[in-house]
Amino acid sequence: MRSRKRIWIARDFLKCSGCRKCEIACSLHHEKRIWPEASRVRVFMLVPGAEVPHLCVQCEDYPCVKSCPTGALSINQKTGAVLVDDEKCTACGVCISSCPGRVPHLHPVKKTILICDLCEGRPQCVKVCQEGNWDALETTTRSSWQVYKIHARTPEEITREVVRNLYGEAGEGMI
Amino acid sequence: MRGYAGKFLDIDLSTGEITKTTFNENLLKSFIGGRGLAAKILWDRLGEKWETVDPFAPANVLTILTGPLTGFFPGARVCVSGKSPQSNGMVGSTVGGEFGVELKCAGYDGVIVTGKASKPCYITIFEDQISIKDANHVWGKDGKQTLKILTKEGRKELKANFTEYGELKEPQVLYIGPAGENQTRIAAVMEKWTHAAGYGGYGGVMGSKNLKAIVTKGLGPLPEVEDIEKVRELIKQADKKCFKSHSFRRWGTGAAGYTVGAKTSSEPVRNWQDEWHDERGFAVDKFEQRLWVKRYWADYGCPTSCLKIAMPKTGEFKGCITDNPDYELQAYLGPNLGIFTPEDNVYLSSLIDDLGFCGIQGGNTLAFAAELYQRGVVGKEDLDGIQLEWGNTKAFGELARKIAKREGLGALFAEGSYRAAMELGKKKGMNLTQYAVAEKGMAIGAHGLRSGRDFPDIMAYACNVQAGDHTSLPSTPTELENSEFNTILDDSGVYCSFNTFSTGIDLIWDFFSAVTGWQELRQNWYETNALRILQMQRVMLLLGGPDLKWKANVDDDNPPRFYEPLPMGPYKGKAVNRELFEEQKQEYYEAMGWDKNGLPKPEILRKLGLDDVESKLKHAGIL
């Protein structure tokens, strides 16, 4: 099966330093600018210390692709990443609400949807995170057994869990 | 202009007027941003009447400025300034975090706040939507609560007004705690729970303006640069160098809590009555192994992650959260209070953060109070029953709360150690300033000068235009790496100077070229532009007022304690040598173009185009 060779970006939130080098690398790669809101991976800090790199997990059933009314979203058969056709995207926002993690977001200037394209199998965000030995992001091989969709969660949902892990009882009510 | 968003926000809280200001290219080439630009703005707006301006009056100008390298050079910061309620001069006080980046992405290089709101307010800057909002519901709230509420509200507003973008990241918040609201002189401007622009006392200035916080969110990119490929490559080079700094990455400055005491004998112990301790129980491995819940914590773009998050999971201080603590807070809220237990140190650091104190000023003041208690100058009856004995962690916590609220004797200590010593000494007819370990009204950093093993220059505090600031120290020659002129550069380009220890100065200048495209910056810096900023800061410090004024030469001196011999440890008996100090001081005066009394010579002021500064000094009777 082709999907076996596909990669997946695993996240370890407890290891994320919040340096946002992933955002910097991503936006430099895709936009030739340092541009936090145009980065395909964005670090949310709803609670200090509980930084959450937020990006597409490539759900098995691709609800965003299915829901797109203009056919602007497709699946890269090689990597499994969601591809955006800027010409067809009307910024209607249906993919945002169909995503369980509300991951897709609008390019602040182009006004087309941004979704991680896995950098053709060599994610720049992972590279920089590994260079710094943080290993909060890691490229893994996608297993056909796992259900990756469970990782598509909103920043609030993930933060709530991470805060509990980091701060225990003190974390209750932080968000 | 490359590296700059191109406009600044000028907000008058008295009238509610919000205007957009620009500065021309030549001015920015000279003053760059952050600390340098703050010196220019403050001099232009307040210079003529400097000595009459009360730092807590609406007339004071509060500047919150980024620099062209903010967000590009690893480790973003923002520089807070104004007339300082501590030194009565002008201090460039920087704080790490994402606020500066967010502000630039929103389209602004800085915010200049004047006047005073009629009631507690906070400012939101969401792209072009700027408003002054009611802050009644967060006034009185501690740091963690404030950040939580304002982050939530900001996200709500962003969702309502920028719906089509989907989930935008959270806005960034610069705020004050109760210590700032109640205009203590030792309050910081805070970010991210634990990050503080501490030196200067600008938390109280925000409080005096009824300004609880500034919340910002931008959607845009960082400004256009001259050569983005070069910037990308420089970031890689900087990262590589910083990654090699194992000790700094692993322990941050926290490793110093033991070392600076045990090895170099320059750590404050019991209000600097000693500078030596050999308490291995207070060493960084105990913090690391018992308390760190996050090992690598960083601000925007930082490869080093010198921050760590500490929280006791058991015991009476369970759930108190702070970072690291870094060396300064370890020392000032540890040995300096007779405390040698990591958990107790974390508790106090967390409390000091929550109340919105500067850890250095707060710890220095608490220790000063404890020495008065030790000597029987104040007793528990004066402190509403608090038994302020060395090592009594909870007592220090209680006093900190009283200071933040200006309750009882807390009101006296809210003035900081030096002013409290003056005031109480006057009342009691005693010389208490001998116990205030401060420089020109400001607590000094936790690095003593007596052993001669830590800071090389014994005029490091005495001649400092930033008073007690240990992060920007006078030294000559000025073009050396980590010299004062390079620190002025860091504070004006506005990025983390700790990362510059790894990158070195050449790489910094490469960043300046690649970002701004101004190739002549370096050659004009050391002899002209940095020197000009320094002279302006010196002059504002010497004008001082209205409550205290400093006499050049006379007040350019060490805290009295540094002339007392060290009582214990491997450097027992060592003290600052007065003759050597005078010699070093005169050397520095001369290098800066000051006369033997420490006054800038008219020639140097004229050479730097500071003719108005010269006439002001003459008018004030100083020259």
Side-chain angles (χ1 to χ4, degrees), chain B residues 226-243:
Chain B
E226 179 72 9
D227 184 347
I228 192 69
E229 277 314 313
K230 182 81 188 162
V231 169
R232 188 183 195 164
E233 144 113 35
L234 290 170
I235 291 174
K236 263 190 197 155
Q237 283 180 32
D239 284 358
K240 224 176 184 174
K241 291 190 174 190
C242 293
F243 290 155

Side-chain angles (χ1 to χ4, degrees), chain A residues 83-103:
Chain A
L83 299 179
V84 184
D85 184 340
D86 284 355
E87 299 289 309
K88 289 186 187 163
C89 177
T90 59
C92 66
V94 170
C95 59
I96 302 173
S97 35
S98 71
C99 171
R102 291 184 58 82
V103 175

Side-chain angles (χ1 to χ4, degrees), chain A residues 27-101:
Chain A
S27 62
L28 275 172
H29 182 72
H30 288 97
E31 307 287 334
K32 306 277 175 252
R33 299 288 291 262
I34 296 180
W35 197 339
E37 281 296 349
S39 172
R40 277 73 173 163
V41 53
R42 294 174 304 155
V43 177
F44 282 76
M45 184 187 67
L46 304 180
V47 174
E51 284 79 5
V52 172
H54 199 233
L55 78 169
C56 175
V57 304
Q58 300 87 33
C59 299
E60 287 74 6
D61 59 347
Y62 293 96
C64 56
V65 178
K66 275 188 197 153
S67 70
C68 178
T70 64
L73 302 183
S74 60
I75 303 157
N76 180 325
Q77 287 309 313
K78 192 177 131 224
T79 61
V82 176
L83 299 179
V84 184
D85 184 340
D86 284 355
E87 299 289 309
K88 289 186 187 163
C89 177
T90 59
C92 66
V94 170
C95 59
I96 302 173
S97 35
S98 71
C99 171

Side-chain angles (χ1 to χ4, degrees), chain B residues 156-446:
Chain B
K156 208 169 147 194
E157 185 174 332
L158 287 166
K159 274 183 189 172
N161 297 355
F162 297 85
T163 320
E164 70 270 28
Y165 294 92
E167 294 288 319
L168 288 176
K169 298 207 303 169
E170 77 290 344
Q172 299 303 321
V173 188
L174 209 63
Y175 60 88
I176 56 169
E181 294 170 10
N182 296 321
Q183 299 172 41
T184 72
R185 286 185 198 263
I186 52 179
V189 175
M190 306 291 300
E191 217 184 313
K192 291 170 79 166
W193 288 356
T194 63
H195 296 28
Y199 283 123
Y202 298 114
V205 175
M206 261 177 87
S208 75
K209 298 192 173 305
N210 264 332
L211 178 60
K212 177 73 176 176
I214 304 178
V215 184
T216 186
K217 179 82 194 93
L219 268 63
L222 280 178
E224 197 94 54
V225 299
E226 179 72 9
D227 184 347
I228 192 69
E229 277 314 313
K230 182 81 188 162
V231 169
R232 188 183 195 164
E233 144 113 35
L234 290 170
I235 291 174
K236 263 190 197 155
Q237 283 180 32
D239 284 358
K240 224 176 184 174
K241 291 190 174 190
C242 293
F243 290 155
K244 281 188 191 149
S245 171
H246 173 266
S247 145
F248 217 29
R249 282 199 99 195
R250 175 140 185 181
W251 297 300
T253 61
Y258 171 73
T259 321
V260 173
K263 226 178 140 187
T264 60
S265 271
S266 52
E267 180 164 349
V269 179
R270 297 182 189 87
N271 197 35
W272 296 92
Q273 293 181 84
D274 205 343
E275 297 183 30
W276 174 75
H277 76 84
D278 192 16
E279 296 285 344
R280 284 167 199 230
F282 198 67
V284 74
D285 57 322
K286 315 301 181 302
F287 286 88
E288 181 181 23
Q289 287 146 22
R290 294 215 296 265
L291 297 167
W292 289 353
V293 296
K294 196 162 220 183
R295 184 169 281 281
Y296 298 106
W297 198 34
D299 292 329
Y300 192 87
C302 179
T304 307
S305 356
C306 76
L307 304 167
K308 288 87 189 51
I309 302 179
M311 184 192 79
K313 288 186 174 170
T314 55
E316 59 178 330
F317 302 129
K318 179 176 156 179
C320 293
I321 305 166
T322 190
D323 61 8
N324 217 331
D326 73 329
Y327 168 64
E328 295 295 319
L329 268 72
Q330 269 189 28
Y332 259 121
L333 299 169
N336 201 39
L337 303 178
I339 291 167
F340 296 92
T341 314
E343 283 77 3
D344 294 47
N345 178 238
V346 166
Y347 157 72
L348 280 177
S349 300
S350 171
L351 179 67
I352 287 289
D353 289 341
D354 285 349
L355 295 172
F357 285 112
C358 160
I360 293 170
Q361 307 302 315
N364 181 285
T365 306
L366 289 172
F368 167 74
E371 188 169 347
L372 297 187
Y373 189 89
Q374 171 198 315
R375 294 181 185 278
V377 181
V378 297
K380 94 178 167 184
E381 60 288 352
D382 303 310
L383 294 167
D384 300 322
I386 299 175
Q387 291 178 292
L388 205 63
E389 274 134 19
W390 299 116
N392 189 348
T393 305
K394 286 199 165 158
F396 286 112
E398 275 176 64
L399 182 59
R401 285 202 175 86
K402 279 187 176 297
I403 297 174
K405 289 189 204 145
R406 281 187 172 272
E407 220 174 69
L409 260 196
L412 173 78
F413 295 119
E415 295 294 299
S417 59
Y418 186 79
R419 283 177 175 82
M422 299 263 290
E423 207 179 309
L424 192 65
K426 208 167 162 192
K427 214 190 262 171
K428 301 217 171 216
M430 298 166 87
N431 169 19
L432 299 180
T433 49
Q434 59 181 317
Y435 310 128
V437 189
E439 183 64 47
K440 299 188 181 71
M442 185 195 288
I444 61 164

Side-chain angles (χ1 to χ4, degrees), chain B residues 54 85 105 121 141 160 182 268 302 363 497 504 529 540 605:
Chain B
D54 176 352
C105 290
C121 72
K141 292 263 190 296
N182 296 321
C302 179
S497 66
N529 292 336
M540 288 185 259
L605 294 178

